[in-house]
Structure formats: structure tokens, C-alpha cells
Amino acid sequence: QLPTSCKKCNCLHYYPLENMRFTVAAAAVAVTSIAAASAFSAIKRSSRASSAKHQHFSVPNELLESTTCDCKDELVLAVQLALEAGKNMTKHYDSKGTADENMGDLQISTKMNDADFATAIDVENENYISDEILKKFPGHVIIGEESTGTGTIPPLISSSPTWIIDPIDGTTNFASGLPLSCVSIGFCRDGKPYMGVVFAPMTNELYIGVQGHGAYRNGIRLLG
């Protein structure tokens, strides 16, 4: 038996240990969950750091040397911007589950409902990507998820090269510290999708696809 304070008379009473088993079990589960979350966060950081040492992302030579790939400049820029936006995401991922974590820094704002929201990093990434694209291609059109918001998505115009940006694809996972999120950048020409770049910073995977030239993951051609 253990002494337990009584809320009614503020005296100590003795209760059988059996009555406390569920409280103890709940506490154990809570401690285990916190430890598991911290361990998972540490493993993610260690895994990413280890693979990053050996990973150099670039556009495959097959695409750069191709005489039929008509978006080489756009492709090189898209890869550069996706990688930089991914780095911006890792700041939150690295702090998740640690004393440095501050959810207030994300400045979460809802759109249609509580399940449809954006973070400050969504907005930062989209602004950065959009600004850099317009510096190099001032005549291009940009459709961004955050700038478009819940409004009407503008149609693709065949005469205007158009970029489609999702600055953080998987915002819910990102805010929760789950690794399944990425930066997605698409490029359309003649009113049709032509090239796409996706970078998942927590798994260190860079996907590239160009119409008529297949798709690549970390520089290796995918089957199909």
C-alpha cells in the first residue's frame, strides 16, 4: 500500500497498489511514447546527415546533353530551388521533439477548414521560389498553392510558359514532424505539363521527370 492524499479532507489514506496500476501503466506509456518520439527524431537527423555526406544532387547528364530536351535552363533552376526550399524545411524537422521546438514559429493559418492549413514555411518557400523564377524568366506565369489559396485556379495558357508550385506537399506531415513531405515544382509549356521536380528533404530523394525523357531518382533512371 502507498499513502495517497485525499482531496476531500487533505489527509493521507492508504490504498491498495492494485488501484493504482492503471495510473502507473498510463504514465509508463506516456514516458515510452516521449522516448520513442525523441529516438525517432534523432534517427531521422542521423540518417539524413549520413546520407547527405555521400549525396550530390544534380541534373542527369543524359538530360543536359540531350538535343530534344527543351527545358534545360528551367530544369537546372527547378532543381536548385527545390533543394534550397528543402533546406528551409529541415530547420523545423531538426527541432521537432526537442527543447528547441516552437510550434508558434510555424504561424499556422487555416484555409477552407482546420484540416486545410499552411505554415509560415509554406509561404516562405513559395515566395522564394516564385521570386527566383521571375528573376530569370520574367515573362513566365506562376501558379502557387499558397498565393492561389482557395480561389479559382487560373487556366493554363498555351502561349505562356507556366510554373506550378506546391512549396510543401504534405503540410500536415511536415507540421507533425513526419518525414513524408516534399517540395514540388512543375513546369508547363504549350498548355501542358512538361517537366517536374520533387525533393523530399527528410528522405534525401530528388525526383526529376521530363516529358519524353523518363524520370529519375537521385540521378538514376527509373524503370517504366
Side-chain angles (χ1 to χ4, degrees):
Q1 291 182 331
L2 292 177
T4 305
S5 177
C6 177
K7 295 181 180 179
K8 293 182 179 180
C9 62
N10 202 30
C11 297
L12 290 178
H13 297 281
Y14 286 85
Y15 295 97
L17 283 173
E18 289 78 4
N19 294 343
M20 303 178 66
R21 71 177 70 175
F22 294 109
T23 301
V24 174
V29 170
V31 171
T32 302
S33 298
I34 294 172
S38 298
F40 179 57
S41 179
I43 290 172
K44 289 189 298 182
R45 291 193 296 272
S46 175
S47 175
R48 188 176 67 254
S50 176
S51 59
K53 293 179 182 178
H54 307 286
Q55 185 64 61
H56 174 69
F57 296 110
S58 61
V59 177
N61 288 331
E62 297 96 307
L63 296 176
L64 294 177
E65 297 171 359
S66 172
T67 58
T68 57
C69 180
D70 298 327
C71 64
K72 295 175 186 176
D73 291 340
E74 291 88 346
L75 178 55
V76 171
L77 179 62
V79 168
Q80 172 193 332
L81 298 180
L83 294 176
E84 287 300 318
K87 289 181 182 178
N88 196 31
M89 295 167 63
T90 61
K91 299 174 184 177
H92 168 68
Y93 273 126
D94 285 344
S95 68
K96 193 68 179 177
T98 72
D100 292 334
E101 180 183 359
N102 184 358
M103 288 295 288
D105 291 342
L106 291 181
Q107 301 176 34
I108 294 175
S109 58
T110 58
K111 300 177 187 178
M112 293 288 289
N113 52 62
D114 290 342
D116 185 13
F117 61 88
T119 70
I121 301 179
D122 285 84
V123 178
E124 288 175 10
N125 277 359
E126 183 169 313
N127 289 340
Y128 166 73
I129 294 170
S130 299
D131 290 346
E132 293 300 313
I133 289 174
L134 293 178
K135 284 180 184 178
K136 190 160 186 177
F137 303 104
H140 288 193
V141 175
I142 294 176
I143 300 175
E145 181 182 16
E146 307 312 326
S147 57
T148 301
T150 58
T152 302
I153 299 176
L156 293 176
I157 302 175
S158 59
S159 59
S160 301
T162 303
W163 298 76
I164 300 176
I165 304 167
D166 190 343
I168 299 181
D169 193 355
T171 299
T172 300
N173 284 344
F174 168 70
S176 302
L178 299 177
L180 300 181
S181 62
C182 59
V183 180
S184 299
I185 301 175
F187 177 69
C188 303
R189 50 177 294 186
D190 300 325
K192 298 178 181 179
Y194 187 73
M195 175 268 290
V197 171
V198 172
F199 178 54
M202 290 306 294
T203 58
N204 264 309
E205 292 176 293
L206 175 69
Y207 291 87
I208 295 173
V210 179
Q211 183 179 8
H213 295 273
Y216 297 77
R217 183 185 66 191
N218 294 353
I220 301 175
R221 180 74 178 262
L222 298 178
L223 299 177

